[in-house]
Amino acid sequence: MKMLFSQLAFMHIVLHMFCVVFAFWVLGALNIDSWFKKGETGRIRLFIILAAVLLGSALSNFIMDFFRLVQEASLLF
C-alpha cells in the first residue's frame, strides 16, 4: 500500500510540473502585455508565472481527482 501512495505522489509531482509548463506556454501565447502599462516587464513576468502556477496546479488537481474517481468508480461494479 505504501508503494501505491509513493507512486501516486510521484505522478502528482510530475503532472504538476507538466501542467505548470503547459499553462506557461499557453499564457505566453496570449497578448497579456496590453493589460499592463508600458515598462512594467517585472510585473508582467510575475503575473504570468503566478497565473501559470495557479492554472497548472488547478489542472493537475482536476486530472488527479478525475483519475482517483475513475479508480473508485470501478469498485462499484
Side-chain angles (χ1 to χ4, degrees):
M1 194 68 164
K2 186 177 180 181
M3 185 67 165
L4 178 66
F5 288 133
S6 63
Q7 287 175 347
L8 285 176
F10 179 72
M11 190 170 87
H12 204 175
I13 291 169
V14 171
L15 187 63
H16 262 297
M17 291 189 306
F18 174 74
C19 288
V20 167
V21 170
F22 177 72
F24 187 77
W25 177 69
V26 169
L27 288 172
L30 298 176
N31 190 12
I32 296 177
D33 298 344
S34 63
W35 299 353
F36 295 90
K37 296 176 184 175
K38 287 189 175 189
E40 295 186 334
T41 57
R43 287 187 183 181
I44 295 170
R45 288 180 185 163
L46 181 63
F47 174 77
I48 290 175
I49 290 170
L50 289 176
V53 169
L54 290 173
L55 291 173
S57 178
L59 178 61
S60 174
N61 286 331
F62 173 77
I63 292 170
M64 287 302 293
D65 287 343
F66 184 77
F67 179 70
R68 285 187 196 124
L69 289 174
V70 168
Q71 282 185 334
E72 291 174 6
S74 67
L75 298 174
L76 292 174
F77 302 108

